[in-house]
Amino acid sequence: MSIAKEQIRQIISENDISSVNDVYELLRDGFKDILQELLEAEMDVTLGYEKNKKGNTRTDNKRSGHSPKNLKSQYGEFQINVPRDRNGEFEPKLIPKYQRDISGIEEKIISLYARGMSTRDIHDQLQDLYGIEVSVDMASKITDKFLHQAREWQTRPLDPMYPFVFMDYIHYKVREDGKVLSRAAYIGLGVTLDGYKDILSITAGANETSRFCLGMLNDQKNRGLEDVLFFCVDGLPGWC
């Protein structure tokens, strides 16, 4: 998931980044926050309700603070707070009880959120990572924690003008109802006035039709795009 140039500038300004070491510290802190939210999501599943939203859930168990835990990663060492429950039933699967070195799993975890996977895909990915069975319900809880970030990216404002916009698509395979089907991801890539590349949109669809392509362009227009000097397309039906 790419970040718009304006967002990068805002991050640099707000975090006073002036060196490569500052970048690594920012990545470490961001990854730490993601892990913390995942642990909280695991506790939600264990108890059967989210924090402060017990409602009519029938359970005598409840949250009982946190325990600090030091972890090692490729971004350095940092501390997270592992949630505890009153009955002592919660055993994190994301970071098992005695695991402290998590080097090498960052890329997989971050890509898991960025791809907007289905709950079944999340389930399979976690099983591949840790060799354990994680319920689809837990995968759904995890997905709900972070998919709003993907939605924010998909609806973010665009620059009013791009000198060049490239429109194309790539095919990929998906499994639906036990069948492997071909789908297409339609991509709009803009080149800014400063010469930077910016992914304007990625939209999944089944067929390359003029109506679908018009919908993509209307979405970009509604997000602030007003003018394009040159459209670069492959000439297939739907684009022209």
Side-chain angles (χ1 to χ4, degrees):
M1 182 183 300
S2 64
I3 302 177
K5 180 177 60 178
E6 292 77 9
Q7 292 176 296
I8 294 176
R9 288 175 175 171
Q10 183 178 358
I11 291 173
I12 293 174
S13 175
E14 292 179 352
N15 294 276
D16 193 25
I17 295 175
S18 59
S19 67
V20 173
N21 185 61
D22 292 339
V23 174
Y24 272 98
E25 288 185 1
L26 181 64
L27 292 173
R28 180 195 62 195
D29 293 341
F31 182 62
K32 170 186 173 181
D33 292 341
I34 289 175
L35 288 180
Q36 188 67 53
E37 287 299 317
L38 287 172
L39 289 172
E40 300 296 342
E42 281 199 75
M43 177 61 83
D44 291 346
V45 173
T46 298
L47 297 179
Y49 64 92
E50 297 180 17
K51 188 175 182 179
N52 300 323
K53 295 182 179 180
K54 183 176 181 180
N56 296 323
T57 304
R58 295 184 178 180
T59 177
D60 60 351
N61 201 3
K62 64 180 182 180
R63 289 169 174 78
S64 182
H66 295 77
S67 295
K69 183 173 184 177
N70 294 321
L71 297 175
K72 295 180 179 180
S73 78
Q74 69 183 57
Y75 299 126
E77 296 186 9
F78 57 85
Q79 179 179 288
I80 60 172
N81 297 310
V82 181
R84 297 182 305 184
D85 64 314
R86 185 173 63 180
N87 295 348
E89 299 172 354
F90 178 59
E91 294 188 6
K93 295 188 174 77
L94 181 69
I95 304 175
K97 187 174 182 179
Y98 298 106
Q99 182 177 355
R100 295 186 181 277
D101 190 340
I102 57 172
S103 301
I105 69 171
E106 284 90 344
E107 295 86 353
K108 286 188 177 181
I109 293 179
I110 293 174
S111 67
L112 181 145
Y113 313 131
R115 293 173 188 171
M117 291 181 177
S118 68
T119 54
R120 178 59 61 181
D121 291 332
I122 298 286
H123 166 275
D124 295 341
Q125 185 80 347
L126 291 179
Q127 187 176 38
D128 176 65
L129 275 172
Y130 311 109
I132 56 176
E133 186 73 19
V134 178
S135 70
V136 174
D137 180 46
M138 179 180 292
S140 179
K141 290 284 187 180
I142 293 172
T143 302
D144 291 344
K145 290 281 184 178
F146 296 99
L147 283 185
H148 73 276
Q149 297 180 17
R151 297 190 187 99
E152 288 178 356
W153 179 85
Q154 291 171 338
T155 58
R156 76 193 192 284
L158 300 178
D159 290 350
M161 190 272 185
Y162 291 86
F164 299 93
V165 170
F166 296 83
M167 309 287 285
D168 207 342
Y169 69 98
I170 58 173
H171 283 291
Y172 61 96
K173 301 293 184 180
V174 298
R175 185 179 297 276
E176 294 182 5
D177 300 325
K179 298 179 181 179
V180 178
L181 304 175
S182 180
R183 291 289 183 263
Y186 299 84
I187 303 171
L189 184 150
V191 179
T192 69
L193 292 171
D194 296 327
Y196 291 95
K197 296 179 180 178
D198 185 10
I199 300 295
L200 308 182
S201 62
I202 301 177
T203 309
N207 299 302
E208 191 175 29
T209 65
S210 57
R211 178 177 296 180
F212 187 88
C213 299
L214 178 61
M216 284 185 60
L217 296 174
N218 283 333
D219 172 68
Q220 295 171 14
K221 179 180 178 181
N222 292 335
R223 290 161 54 202
L225 179 58
E226 298 177 0
D227 191 18
V228 175
L229 296 184
F230 296 96
F231 276 103
C232 301
V233 298
D234 57 13
L236 292 177
W239 296 117
C240 301

